[in-house]
Amino acid sequence: MTSENFAISACPNPSPWRRALKTAVSALLMEAGYQAADCMALETLLEMTQAYITEAGRSSSTFAELSGRTQVMVSDVVMALVEMGTDFTAIPKHARRENKINFLPPVPSTQTPVSKILQVGEKKKHPLHIPDHLPAFPDPHTYIKTQCYKQPANEYQLVREKAASQKRDVEVALTRFIAKTGATHSLFKDDKSSFPLIACKPTPMPSLAGLLPADSQITDQEKSESDGSVKLKQQAQSVQEIGADAGADMTPDAEAIDNPYLIPAKIAKSKWS
């Protein structure tokens, strides 16, 4: 026979020690002949039993401290029970009673699984002056640095693929914009939104457009001709300046030339002449 057969009204028992004490009190009530108990009456008995055990432990600890010890011995418990008015000699007889109810082993409580936290990087170990029982360092990115950017791709193949995809996206976006804002055709008669095509503008003489140069070609040609004329003018001016400098060298005023090797020779006059 166990204490589970004892009918008790539903009442909360959050503490595991409180549940164990409630099981012991229920077993004692069953040995006394009770079949059921109200929740309020059972809680009152629990409070009385808990107060009795707490007082016995406090008194035993006080007698141990009075004797100059830190650990409680059997003699301290006996002195505490005697002071509380309990006959400690009846304890062995009560433990060997015949109608004793066996207690079931306590059921281990299910622990809630700890959620796995994403770890970034390797945690730093404690220095030598910090004990190991202290909490570990957090992730390095919380107090050292936090990289919020991605390294750019420098490989030739990836860069070319990215440039090609961007060019294709731009062309598709521009084609769709022109198709939505201008006249369009479609491959299918009924569906005009799936595959839009830019409408071709008809011209009266389409073969003439290939023979005539474009406006950009005319402007480029005019620009090249103007650049060529400017260069010719500059060359002519430089030739005139060189000729003027050469004519100035032939004049008697040759002292204006800085280079001594280009100054014309002078014949020294004899003192006898």
Side-chain angles (χ1 to χ4, degrees):
M1 188 175 182
T2 61
S3 61
E4 292 181 354
N5 299 326
F6 190 75
I8 305 173
S9 301
C11 51
N13 290 300
S15 176
W17 297 277
R18 188 84 171 178
R19 289 197 298 266
L21 186 60
K22 183 178 180 180
T23 303
V25 173
S26 302
L28 293 175
L29 291 177
M30 289 183 64
E31 292 179 4
Y34 291 94
Q35 299 294 330
D38 188 61
C39 183
M40 295 298 296
L42 187 60
E43 289 294 329
T44 303
L45 293 175
L46 287 177
E47 290 293 335
M48 295 173 61
T49 307
Q50 186 175 358
Y52 184 85
I53 295 174
T54 303
E55 181 63 23
R58 187 191 63 79
S59 299
S60 301
S61 178
T62 303
F63 279 108
E65 292 177 357
L66 185 62
S67 302
R69 289 179 277 102
T70 57
Q71 293 183 356
V72 179
M73 300 179 63
V74 179
S75 58
D76 301 328
V77 178
V78 171
M79 292 296 296
L81 293 177
V82 170
E83 187 180 3
M84 294 173 64
T86 304
D87 186 10
F88 65 92
T89 58
I91 294 178
K93 183 180 179 181
H94 177 74
R96 300 187 184 93
R97 62 189 183 276
E98 296 180 355
N99 58 344
K100 180 180 179 181
I101 298 177
N102 297 323
F103 293 94
L104 293 177
V107 180
S109 59
T110 58
Q111 297 181 357
T112 56
V114 181
S115 59
K116 296 182 180 180
I117 302 176
L118 180 62
Q119 181 178 351
V120 180
E122 296 182 359
K123 292 185 178 181
K124 185 179 178 182
K125 296 183 180 180
H126 286 159
L128 298 177
H129 63 278
I130 298 179
D132 295 335
H133 64 272
L134 293 178
F137 284 101
D139 293 339
H141 75 279
T142 59
Y143 63 96
I144 296 179
K145 62 180 180 179
T146 302
Q147 296 182 357
C148 300
Y149 61 91
K150 186 178 180 181
Q151 293 292 340
N154 297 327
E155 297 182 5
Y156 176 76
Q157 182 178 358
L158 297 178
V159 172
R160 289 298 301 272
E161 290 179 356
K162 187 175 182 180
S165 62
Q166 291 179 354
K167 182 179 179 182
R168 183 174 60 254
D169 295 341
V170 171
E171 291 177 355
V172 171
L174 184 59
T175 304
R176 290 180 179 176
F177 175 75
I178 296 174
K180 289 182 179 180
T181 55
T184 58
H185 295 301
S186 179
L187 295 176
F188 305 96
K189 183 178 180 181
D190 299 332
D191 190 4
K192 295 184 179 180
S193 60
S194 299
F195 302 95
L197 299 176
I198 300 175
C200 297
K201 296 181 179 180
T203 56
M205 299 178 66
S207 60
L208 188 61
L211 300 175
L212 296 177
D215 297 337
S216 59
Q217 295 178 359
I218 295 174
T219 55
D220 294 341
Q221 186 176 2
E222 291 177 354
K223 185 176 181 182
S224 61
E225 290 178 356
S226 61
D227 294 341
S229 61
V230 171
K231 289 182 179 180
L232 290 175
K233 290 180 181 179
Q234 291 178 356
Q235 291 178 0
Q237 291 179 1
S238 62
V239 169
Q240 292 177 1
E241 291 177 358
I242 292 172
D245 294 339
D249 293 339
M250 299 302 292
T251 59
D253 191 10
E255 294 180 357
I257 301 175
D258 296 334
N259 194 348
Y261 295 99
L262 300 179
I263 298 176
K266 293 182 180 180
I267 301 174
K269 295 181 180 182
S270 178
K271 61 182 179 177
W272 290 284
S273 59

